[in-house]
Amino acid sequence: MPKTENEKGIVEIVDGKYKPSGTFHIIEKNQPIFDKDANKLAGVTNPRDMTYIHSYGGEAMFFESLGKGKLIATRCDNDNCEFKGSIYMPFRIYCPDCLRKMTPLNLTEIARKTAKVHSYIITHRSGAFNTLDLPIKFINVEFDNVVTILMSYLVVGEPEIGKRVVPIFRTKNPTYTITDLAFVPEGTLESELPNGFTF
Ligand SMILES: [Zn+2]
C-alpha cells in the first residue's frame, strides 16, 4: 500500500555522513496460503516493504546532469594506456584497460548529431517495479567516436536499425535515474515529447 509522508525514507548527507529519516522497513500482516482443493495449509505470504539506499558514488554527476539536459561520457587520458582517447557511454569511472580514473566529457552535441539505433527490442511484458509505458521500445544507441553502446528507450515512433535518433531529458522533476534519458527520432517536434522532457 502507498506510504504516508511520514513513512517515506529520506536520506541526506550532513558533515560527510548519511542521515536517514523516516521508515525504511515496513512489515504488513501476513496471510495464510490455503490449498482450496485439499483444504489444508500450504504456506504464508511475507509482505515486506523495503527502501533501498543506492549510492551512486563517482557516477552521481552523470545522473545529476541528465536532469539538466546534459549527457556526460568519460574518456581515458592516460598517456601510458594502449587505448588512450577511448570514449565511454554509459559513463564509466575507471578505464577498463588501464584502470585509471577517466575524464568526464560532455557528449550532448555528439549525441544530437550522430546517435543511431544499433539494435532494438520491443518488450510487451516488463519485470516488477517497471515505471515505463508498455510496450517498451528498448534501443541500443551508437555514437560517433564512442567505443561502447548505450541501452536506452525510444518514446516517439518505431525503432529501426540505423535510424537517427536524438536524446531527450526529463528536466522537469527529474527522478535522477537512467529513465531521465530517452531518445526520439531526429526531426521530432518539441510538442511530441512526453511530459517533463525537453531536448
Ligand atoms: Zn586507459
Side-chain angles (χ1 to χ4, degrees):
M1 86 184 70
K3 292 178 176 183
T4 65
E5 277 308 308
N6 289 339
E7 285 173 335
K8 282 184 184 162
I10 307 284
V11 183
E12 289 176 311
I13 298 176
V14 182
D15 297 331
K17 290 178 185 148
Y18 276 65
K19 301 278 183 197
S21 60
T23 307
F24 285 75
H25 306 93
I26 296 176
I27 186 168
E28 284 174 33
K29 190 175 181 299
N30 73 293
Q31 303 289 338
I33 303 169
F34 281 112
D35 182 332
K36 292 282 189 192
D37 300 320
N39 196 28
K40 62 180 186 188
L41 182 71
V44 291
T45 62
N46 278 328
R48 301 280 188 273
D49 184 331
M50 185 194 79
T51 297
Y52 176 65
I53 300 176
H54 180 153
S55 172
Y56 280 150
E59 293 175 352
M61 67 176 301
F62 169 80
F63 292 99
E64 192 168 13
S65 295
L66 296 179
K68 294 174 180 162
K70 274 195 286 183
L71 188 61
I72 306 292
T74 47
R75 182 185 59 210
C76 179
D77 286 337
N78 176 12
D79 288 333
N80 298 321
C81 179
E82 187 182 345
F83 299 99
K84 183 192 172 192
S86 296
I87 299 174
Y88 295 89
M89 168 56 62
F91 189 101
R92 292 180 181 185
I93 304 166
Y94 296 101
C95 174
D97 295 296
C98 67
L99 307 180
R100 291 287 186 84
K101 199 159 188 177
M102 293 201 280
T103 311
L105 174 86
N106 189 339
L107 196 79
T108 321
E109 276 311 305
I110 289 176
R112 283 186 183 129
K113 289 184 182 130
T114 73
K116 270 191 294 204
V117 175
H118 180 79
S119 64
Y120 64 90
I121 185 167
I122 299 176
T123 302
H124 290 265
R125 286 193 286 177
S126 71
F129 306 117
N130 170 53
T131 57
L132 299 175
D133 291 339
L134 295 175
I136 308 167
K137 293 155 190 171
F138 285 113
I139 54 173
N140 288 114
V141 185
E142 56 181 73
F143 309 92
D144 280 5
N145 306 321
V146 174
V147 298
T148 46
I149 284 171
L150 173 75
M151 170 75 97
S152 188
Y153 62 109
L154 188 78
V155 287
V156 172
E158 295 303 318
E160 235 173 90
I161 290 174
K163 193 173 207 166
R164 271 278 293 121
V165 289
V166 293
I168 61 169
F169 302 92
R170 196 187 332 254
T171 49
K172 282 173 212 149
N173 299 321
T175 63
Y176 303 104
T177 69
I178 195 61
T179 64
D180 288 350
L181 170 69
F183 284 80
V184 296
E186 189 182 36
T188 298
L189 301 174
E190 183 106 38
S191 59
E192 297 176 83
L193 302 188
N195 267 343
F197 279 84
T198 53
F199 283 109

